[in-house]
């Protein structure tokens, strides 16, 4: 749908907003049409959430105007925005877990009969709204028992029950599986078909390209481009988001492949893995693809000595080894960057230098004591090497952005010069610019002879950064492909 002809349901004009010295938005304008999904993308901190919160009456803008259907509007609080037909689905799910689906949907205006809630009517109204959204949910289920995706559906149903005509969604797919994303998208399509105006915020470009038209790009609080979907290419949007040309989204450099470093043979575990065999060579990136739950992380844990093997063997550089614990794995030159960097990759409240030296602490001991000065200077060396943006080595890990946190996790393993590095979802939740930097680090590592086993659910990343691709499904290996494999082949093996 072209924005020129469609009704401009929402206009944000020249919006400015500062928080205690931070200029979050500067002269930002955005138009969203009825019946369309307007995509809003930008790196972390670009100002997307702030803009939505201004539309929703959560923040008052310092400058600028809002118009709805061409008529000036101004909201002093969220209730005023809601009364004007605006609903926002916030980044964090916002439900009352102990209340039922029906109560959550009608929270602000429960149907009453005299002083009492009219339960039969509440159930009927709720069933009608859910039916209309084609969502199968029992109105009486406590919301806390539902999956995140379904809790989010309850929020959308709440917006519809409040007759919202403008629905702004802030990173709604952040914690959804791909099946759940598909359900959400069909709901969004149905809403726009009924004339609802949707503003869809995300930093996952693939999804924005699938659902949104037009696409607007924010960078550092400024609107740097708006274009119809048909004119948006990944390269162009990324370049606008990052503010510098990214020659390639996946800057893979093929290194010289040497002898086998890791050789897994007929490995099984009690839990899930069945007869898994695979090799990773010096200078090679092996991408491990598959759906969530296929057993990829389990395989990494078995290799790293977290889970016990029930059958099979592991060889490191041709020598059979028994890895009974992560400490054994580390001694054998294996590093492991886990999937969940905030839970198991980093000690968030610890200073960076302490995170850095955790697996290599012995090296910093002199006369029986850990020497902090050596630790901080080791960490500082890596901040230069990997361009880690941090105040200093004493800063707490939690204060860094996702991309910088991931570089800290990488640095801590690189300190040990591992022969084999296992990366589990190395760029999940990281900005595009920082992603490319992590790919560059991978390139440098394989060039210096490291073997990398990269688990990733991001298929373009697996295809773009692997020398070889191994696919798992339900604990088994179901396919192996050389670099250059087609997306469909890999997908097929993943669901086979
Ligand atoms: N309540 C707040 N107080 C202070 N600074 C804020 C607040 N909300 C956002 N910011 C700052 O404003 C900028 C934009 O943030 P945000 O809108 O959350 O970006 P995005 O949603 O695109 O990641 C960031 O620099 C952020 O730190
Ligand atoms: Mg945000």
């Amino acid at each position: 749908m072209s924005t020129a002809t469609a009704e401009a349901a929402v206009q944000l004009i020249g919006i400015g907003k500062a928080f205690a010295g931070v200029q979050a938005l500067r002269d930002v304008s955005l138009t969203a049409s009825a019946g369309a999904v307007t995509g809003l993308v930008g790196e972390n901190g670009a100002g997307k959430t702030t803009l939505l919160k201004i539309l929703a009456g959560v923040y008052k803008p310092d400058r600028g105007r809002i118009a709805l259907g061409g008529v000036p509007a101004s909201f002093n609080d969220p209730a005023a925005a809601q009364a004007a037909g605006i609903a926002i689905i916030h980044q964090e799910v916002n439900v009352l877990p102990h209340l039922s689906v029906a109560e959550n949907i009608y929270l602000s205006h429960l149907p009453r009969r005299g002083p009492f809630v009219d339960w039969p009517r509440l159930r009927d109204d709720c069933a009608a709204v859910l039916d209309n959204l084609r969502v199968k949910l029992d109105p009486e289920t406590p919301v806390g028992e539902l999956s995140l995706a379904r809790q989010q559906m309850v929020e959308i149903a709440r917006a519809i029950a409040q007759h919202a005509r403008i629905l702004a969604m802030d990173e709604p797919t952040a914690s959804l599986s791909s099946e759940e994303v598909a359900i959400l998208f069909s709901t969004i399509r149905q809403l726009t078909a009924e004339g609802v105006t949707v503003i869809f915020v995300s930093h996952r470009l693939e999804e924005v390209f699938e659902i949104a038209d037009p696409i607007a790009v924010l960078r550092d609080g400024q609107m740097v481009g708006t274009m119809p979907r048909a004119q948006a290419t990944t390269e162009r949007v990324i370049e606008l988001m990052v503010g510098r040309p990214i020659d390639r989204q996946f800057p893979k450099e093929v290194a010289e492949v040497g002898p086998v470093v890791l050789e897994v043979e007929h490995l099984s575990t009690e839990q899930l893995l069945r007869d898994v065999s695979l090799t990773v060579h010096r200078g090679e990136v092996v991408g491990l693809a598959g759906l969530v739950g296929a057993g990829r992380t389990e395989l990494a844990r078995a290799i790293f000595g977290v889970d016990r093997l029930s059958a099979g063997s592991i060889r490191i550089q041709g020598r059979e080894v028994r890895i009974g614990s992560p400490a054994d794995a580390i001694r054998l030159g294996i590093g492991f960057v886990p999937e969940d960097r905030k839970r198991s990759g980093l000690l968030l409240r610890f200073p960076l230098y302490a995170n850095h030296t955790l697996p290599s602490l012995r090296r910093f001991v002199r006369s029986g004591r850990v020497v902090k000065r050596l630790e901080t200077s080791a960490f500082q060396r890596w901040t230069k090497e990997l361009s880690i943006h941090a105040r200093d080595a004493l800063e707490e890990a939690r204060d860094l952005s996702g991309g910088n946190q991931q570089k800290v996790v990488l640095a801590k393993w690189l300190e040990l010069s591992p022969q084999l590095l296992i990366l589990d979802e190395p760029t999940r939740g990281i900005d595009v610019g920082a992603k490319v930097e992590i790919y560059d680090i991978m390139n440098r590592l394989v060039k210096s002879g490291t073997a990398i086993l990269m688990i990733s659910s991001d298929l373009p990343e697996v295809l773009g950064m692997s020398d070889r691709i191994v696919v798992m499904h339900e604990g088994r290996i179901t396919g192996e492909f050389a670099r250059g494999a087609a997306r469909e082949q890999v997908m097929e093996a993943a669901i086979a």
Side-chain angles (χ1 to χ4, degrees):
M1 179 174 303
S2 121
T3 17
T5 53
E7 182 197 349
V10 180
Q11 284 167 287
L12 292 151
I13 306 147
I15 301 289
K17 177 75 184 170
F19 297 103
V22 179
Q23 192 69 39
L25 296 172
R26 197 187 299 273
D27 194 20
V28 168
S29 297
L30 178 73
T31 300
S33 309
V37 179
T38 299
L40 181 61
V41 300
E43 292 204 316
N44 277 322
K48 307 178 298 288
T49 297
T50 304
L51 191 63
L52 292 198
K53 286 188 172 170
I54 284 173
L55 176 63
V58 178
Y59 296 146
K60 270 190 88 66
D62 303 335
R63 287 165 200 286
R65 295 175 287 128
I66 302 175
L68 300 181
V71 181
S74 141
F75 312 124
N76 284 318
D77 53 39
Q82 205 181 88
I86 296 169
I88 179 165
I89 310 289
H90 289 283
Q91 221 156 332
E92 308 77 32
V93 183
N94 189 9
V95 292
L96 297 169
H98 301 296
L99 297 186
S100 68
V101 167
E103 288 166 301
N104 266 283
I105 293 177
Y106 283 95
L107 208 53
S108 58
H109 49 294
L110 290 168
R112 286 182 188 275
R113 234 165 128 164
F116 304 108
V117 172
D118 183 349
W119 292 104
R121 189 161 148 225
L122 176 59
R123 266 194 300 277
D124 288 352
D125 287 357
C126 176
V129 168
L130 292 172
D131 222 43
N132 184 259
L133 280 173
R134 299 195 181 91
V135 178
K136 287 195 183 57
L137 276 181
D138 177 356
E140 297 187 37
T141 312
V143 165
E145 289 174 12
L146 303 174
S147 68
L148 267 180
R150 291 179 155 251
Q151 295 187 7
Q152 199 179 51
M153 280 297 167
V154 169
E155 283 201 70
I156 296 173
R158 182 197 295 154
I160 301 310
Q162 289 164 358
H163 308 289
R165 300 299 294 162
I166 295 157
L167 190 57
M169 309 176 111
D170 196 356
E171 311 263 7
T173 61
S175 40
L176 303 190
S177 70
S178 49
E179 295 80 32
E180 291 168 335
V181 170
I183 296 171
L184 174 68
F185 281 8
S186 81
T187 304
I188 291 178
R189 291 200 177 96
Q190 198 194 324
L191 291 172
T192 51
E194 289 163 11
V196 173
T197 305
V198 176
I199 301 177
F200 182 88
V201 167
S202 179
H203 65 253
R204 292 193 192 166
L205 286 192
E206 276 201 46
E207 289 173 0
V208 174
F209 276 48
E210 185 181 335
I211 193 77
D213 186 5
I215 296 171
V217 187
L218 268 180
R219 181 176 75 239
D220 292 338
Q222 286 181 283
M223 192 58 83
V224 289
T226 301
M227 67 207 89
R229 163 72 188 88
Q231 282 167 28
T233 61
T234 315
E235 289 71 30
R236 181 160 175 223
V237 173
I238 289 180
E239 195 169 320
L240 286 169
M241 283 169 69
V242 180
R244 61 186 156 85
I246 297 266
D247 2 319
R248 281 187 299 156
Q249 198 183 350
F250 302 107
K252 170 69 182 163
E253 287 169 23
V254 176
E256 192 180 324
V257 172
V260 178
V261 173
L262 170 74
E263 199 170 359
V264 171
E265 277 190 312
H266 308 298
L267 189 153
S268 297
T269 56
E270 299 262 304
Q271 297 89 349
L272 182 61
L273 302 180
R274 294 291 169 263
D275 195 26
V276 171
S277 299
L278 113 149
T279 58
V280 188
H281 294 245
R282 255 181 84 89
E284 189 183 37
V285 177
V286 172
L288 198 50
L291 304 178
V292 171
R296 299 165 303 166
T297 297
E298 278 78 351
L299 178 57
R301 288 165 56 94
I303 297 170
F304 200 62
V306 182
D307 293 345
R308 207 169 285 284
L309 315 188
S310 57
S313 64
I314 298 176
R315 274 176 230 275
I316 297 287
Q317 292 193 317
R319 196 163 59 86
E320 181 155 351
V321 292
R322 295 189 57 83
I323 306 178
S325 66
D328 289 349
I330 293 168
R331 267 194 296 277
L332 289 162
I334 304 174
F336 180 27
V337 174
E339 177 172 21
D340 187 345
R341 88 189 139 257
K342 292 208 171 124
R343 286 230 314 269
S344 37
L346 285 172
L347 300 169
L348 290 174
R349 286 170 178 271
F350 276 54
L352 296 172
Y353 76 85
N355 271 285
H356 180 71
T357 56
L358 211 53
S360 54
L361 202 56
R362 275 178 212 208
R363 299 183 175 195
F364 302 94
V365 175
R366 298 288 180 277
S367 330
R369 285 193 323 121
V370 181
V371 183
K372 182 169 152 191
R373 183 178 40 81
L374 297 177
E375 292 184 279
T376 53
S377 71
F379 176 71
Q380 262 144 14
R381 214 159 39 80
W382 288 105
T383 60
K384 288 206 197 76
E385 183 75 20
L386 305 185
S387 328
I388 297 171
H389 297 291
R391 201 186 57 227
D392 55 38
L394 303 181
E395 190 167 4
E396 285 182 20
R398 63 173 168 173
D399 294 334
L400 266 57
S401 70
N404 282 302
Q405 286 181 341
Q406 188 69 317
K407 288 189 209 165
V408 171
V409 180
L410 276 167
K412 120 181 145 179
W413 291 111
L414 299 189
E415 183 71 41
L416 287 160
S417 323
Q419 314 186 50
L420 171 69
L421 191 58
I422 305 173
L423 306 175
D424 197 352
E425 306 287 0
T427 68
R428 181 188 279 167
I430 290 179
D431 284 340
V432 236
K435 270 188 191 187
V436 174
E437 291 180 57
I438 290 192
Y439 299 144
D440 284 332
I441 296 169
M442 288 169 62
N443 281 335
R444 267 148 57 197
L445 287 172
V446 288
K447 229 185 253 170
S448 69
T450 314
I452 295 182
L453 181 61
M454 176 186 73
I455 298 170
S456 173
S457 300
D458 183 342
L459 198 49
E461 171 173 279
V462 170
L463 295 169
M465 287 307 297
S466 310
D467 295 290
R468 205 147 48 80
I469 298 166
V470 172
V471 189
M472 290 185 74
H473 177 68
E474 293 182 351
R476 295 170 190 278
I477 290 189
T478 51
E480 183 172 332
F481 305 92
R483 181 164 174 75
R487 185 191 176 97
E488 293 70 28
Q489 292 176 289
V490 176
M491 271 313 285
E492 222 164 89
I495 54 180

